[in-house]
Amino acid sequence: MAHHKSAKKRIRRNAARAEVNGARIGRIRTYVKKVEAALNVGDKDAALAAMKIAEPEMARGAQLGVLHKNTAARKVSRLTARINAL
């Protein structure tokens, strides 16, 4: 248990940020799953449309520190390569 006022405030802030970050990660995963679902069906147009939404979301996640920038770049690269292979 925190004893200092600043430590209590830090606990509250960390809990609030964890909630926001968790929601952002969940949103990124959802968009990536939509791209993968379109890829599994073989629908290139749907995959491109889903990728247009997923890519900026991953970039924002990397910019805000939710994802490592190289992780976001790797995921974008691999998804793009799979779309181009269709």
Side-chain angles (χ1 to χ4, degrees):
M1 180 62 197
H3 295 290
H4 295 283
K5 186 176 181 181
S6 60
K8 291 177 183 179
K9 183 176 181 180
R10 176 64 61 137
I11 289 169
R12 286 196 312 269
R13 198 218 50 176
N14 286 349
R17 290 310 308 169
E19 193 172 328
V20 170
N21 291 341
R24 185 173 298 281
I25 290 172
R27 197 164 48 249
I28 291 169
R29 283 185 185 145
T30 300
Y31 290 135
V32 169
K33 283 179 188 176
K34 287 180 182 180
V35 175
E36 289 176 346
L39 285 169
N40 290 337
V41 174
D43 189 356
K44 188 169 185 172
D45 293 333
L48 282 170
M51 189 63 180
K52 270 191 169 180
I53 299 169
E55 188 173 355
E57 196 66 36
M58 282 191 272
R60 258 191 305 277
Q63 186 178 15
L64 294 172
V66 174
L67 287 177
H68 192 276
K69 67 177 187 141
N70 290 350
T71 301
R74 183 183 68 245
K75 287 179 183 289
V76 168
S77 176
R78 288 181 182 175
L79 286 172
T80 303
R82 285 176 63 192
I83 291 170
N84 290 338
L86 286 180

